[in-house]
């Protein structure tokens, strides 16, 4: 499970770097003044900045529930083939969601990837609760 957690951290880092690059590019190209990023207001940023920032923000929402449940599995020595498999499915869902978000941004496809990831986290929590009883 720790490898799956590390992969989500690396995915978050890559998305963060993409967001920074989009912001720097928007300033360099004169699309927004650098002061916009002080309070994130006063200008209408380009779509690449909005998408990458929102994608990064998404990596600090549902994945937090993933990190917690994985830490509990590890600390309680309850890892199993099922829990590890579901954890990796979650990683795949998050990677797909980010790829869609930063690419075509097809809302329907992104929603399916999000929903599948959410189900994975729910399954992990249910499996954990069953195992601790």
């Amino acid at each position: 499970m720790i490898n799956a957690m590390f992969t989500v951290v690396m995915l978050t880092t890559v998305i963060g770097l993409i967001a920074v690059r989009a912001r720097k590019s928007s300033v360099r190209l004169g699309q927004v003044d650098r002061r916009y990023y002080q309070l994130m207001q006063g200008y209408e940023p380009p779509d690449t900045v909005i998408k990458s920032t929102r994608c990064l923000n998404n990596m600090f929402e549902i994945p937090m529930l993933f990190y917690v449940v994985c830490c509990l599995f590890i600390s309680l020595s309850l890892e199993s083939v099922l829990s590890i498999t579901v954890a990796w499915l979650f990683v795949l869902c998050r990677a797909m969601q980010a790829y869609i978000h930063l690419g075509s941004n097809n809302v329907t496809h992104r929603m399916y990837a999000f929903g599948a990831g959410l189900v994975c986290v729910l399954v992990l929590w249910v499996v954990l609760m069953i195992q601790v009883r």
Side-chain angles (χ1 to χ4, degrees):
M1 290 200 126
I2 193 130
N3 292 325
M5 292 171 61
F6 178 74
T7 303
V8 175
V9 169
M10 290 295 95
L11 177 62
T12 304
T13 302
V14 168
I15 295 168
L17 293 172
I18 290 169
V20 167
R21 188 180 81 200
R23 290 176 184 194
K24 282 184 167 187
S25 179
S26 71
V27 171
R28 188 179 72 253
L29 294 173
Q31 295 169 319
V32 295
D33 186 280
R34 65 180 173 78
R35 291 175 290 183
Y36 165 78
Y37 295 107
Q38 290 175 330
L39 299 175
M40 301 296 269
Q41 62 185 21
Y43 293 86
E44 184 62 35
D47 287 349
T48 56
V49 171
I50 294 169
K51 285 194 319 186
S52 62
T53 299
R54 289 186 180 159
C55 187
L56 180 61
N57 290 343
N58 287 341
M59 295 305 293
F60 293 96
E61 295 169 353
I62 299 300
M64 292 303 117
L65 299 173
F66 172 74
Y67 293 133
V68 170
V69 75
C70 286
C71 287
L72 288 168
F73 270 107
I74 292 167
S75 66
L76 297 171
S77 298
L78 294 174
E79 292 175 277
S80 64
V81 172
L82 175 62
S83 63
I84 292 170
T85 301
V86 175
W88 279 107
L89 284 173
F90 175 79
V91 172
L92 178 64
C93 291
R94 291 311 296 192
M96 286 174 33
Q97 182 184 355
Y99 180 79
I100 294 164
H101 202 163
L102 296 172
S104 68
N105 203 19
N106 182 305
V107 176
T108 302
H109 295 157
R110 200 174 84 212
M111 178 187 65
Y112 287 135
F114 172 83
L118 185 59
V119 167
C120 288
V121 170
L122 178 62
V123 167
L124 285 170
W125 276 100
V126 168
V127 169
L128 177 70
M129 295 310 295
I130 291 169
Q131 288 183 337
V132 296
R133 289 185 179 238

